[in-house]
Amino acid sequence: MDTFDIAADLRPGTTLLEASAGTGKTWTIAALVTKHVASGEVRLDEMLVVTFTRAASQELRERVRRQLDEAVQLLTDPVRRDPANRLHDWLLDATASELVERLERLTAALVSFDAATIATIHQFCQLVLRSLGVAGDTDASATLVEDLEQLTTEAVDDLYLAQYGTEEKPPWTRAAALDLARAVISDPRARVEPAAVLTDSPDSTAAMRVRFACDVLQEVDRRKRRLGVLSYDDLLSQLADALEHPTGAARRRMQHRWKFVLIDEFQDTDPVQWQVFQRAFADTTTMVLIGDPKQAIYAFRGGDIVTYLAAAD
């Protein structure tokens, strides 16, 4: 496997960096931002850095700011150069006039640092959907909720009582019904299968489970709309749908807005998240995916190592 050199040129397209713990992944992200801002290829506000937790995004924001500040100090006083730092080598390898321009670009980036988009995947989706207007299909006034557990439980209780409340021995328990509901609600892209059982064996337990799962999906969706709430998965699904058309307004706006994209902890990306980035950026934008498949930890919420391997391929 090749070792990545921070001084290497990156062109439009997708680059995957596999970085195990302790190999300098966060430094590399901050260095890539600093290098491309200094080069003049992109402004800081044209770069998108995405990770998966608020704590990680805050740490990245601090590291990027620190790296930019260090680069400004280096160009102001080259004696600070660290011979082992490849970014320092690259920053100082330029003509006198170019060194002045690099210093100006980096100083401007620090001054306007609040314009940088360093966010979680869900913060990013919310930002994009709010900016799309009619190009997206979302209610700008909707309240974002972290999970739908309470709504799902209420829907299950009402449906279970309505369908089995008068039966002495229901075909399955309320706990089993809730487990099924949680499974279908946790993945908004899931298909309830086998649908054929509804016609082939309409009175079977399998058919009852399929009908109940479909009823739960419809009821939770109805209650979300009535209450004006959206889940994080709703945001992802709506953005993926908005980006479906290759020449659609949503894709054009995102590609115009961000010219360089960095996705941290990519091993925890789920299929819908990857669909969003692939549709928006894969063919036209410089996109760097950084992750380590050995550290995948979010399978419980849809993170799928198969998604990582498909992207790597």
Side-chain angles (χ1 to χ4, degrees), residues 167-190:
E167 297 187 19
E168 185 176 345
K169 289 187 177 181
W172 49 343
T173 66
R174 182 263 186 187
L178 184 57
D179 287 342
L180 175 61
R182 286 170 174 158
V184 295
I185 296 300
S186 66
D187 183 358
R189 296 289 189 176

Side-chain angles (χ1 to χ4, degrees), residues 54-212:
R54 289 187 178 91
S57 67
Q58 184 59 38
E59 180 188 358
L60 269 177
R61 178 171 287 274
E62 293 171 357
R63 290 290 293 272
V64 169
R65 184 194 292 272
R66 195 182 314 154
Q67 191 74 270
L68 290 169
D69 183 60
E70 179 184 302
V72 167
Q73 294 182 45
L74 174 71
L75 291 173
T76 304
D77 181 11
V79 76
R80 295 173 177 269
R81 180 177 187 166
D82 177 356
N85 190 317
R86 287 288 291 139
L87 178 61
H88 286 193
D89 292 341
W90 181 89
L91 284 168
L92 294 174
D93 184 17
T95 64
S97 60
E98 177 61 18
L99 289 174
V100 171
E101 291 177 357
R102 289 180 178 182
L103 178 58
E104 291 175 348
R105 293 168 188 144
L106 291 166
T107 302
L110 276 174
V111 170
S112 62
F113 189 78
D114 287 344
T117 308
I118 303 174
T120 68
I121 175 66
H122 298 115
Q123 289 170 337
F124 162 68
C125 288
Q126 195 171 19
L127 171 66
V128 172
L129 286 168
R130 284 178 173 174
S131 69
L132 287 178
V134 295
D137 180 24
T138 189
D139 180 1
S141 64
T143 301
L144 187 62
V145 295
E146 292 197 9
D147 65 66
L148 298 171
E149 176 66 20
Q150 181 177 348
L151 205 61
T152 301
T153 301
E154 292 172 355
V156 167
D157 287 343
D158 290 346
L159 289 170
Y160 190 81
L161 285 173
Q163 295 180 20
Y164 308 118
T166 59
E167 297 187 19
E168 185 176 345
K169 289 187 177 181
W172 49 343
T173 66
R174 182 263 186 187
L178 184 57
D179 287 342
L180 175 61
R182 286 170 174 158
V184 295
I185 296 300
S186 66
D187 183 358
R189 296 289 189 176
R191 295 176 58 188
V192 179
E193 297 286 0
V197 75
L198 295 174
T199 53
D200 296 342
S201 306
D203 297 324
S204 65
T205 300
M208 284 189 287
R209 288 173 60 85
V210 168
R211 278 194 295 271
F212 192 82

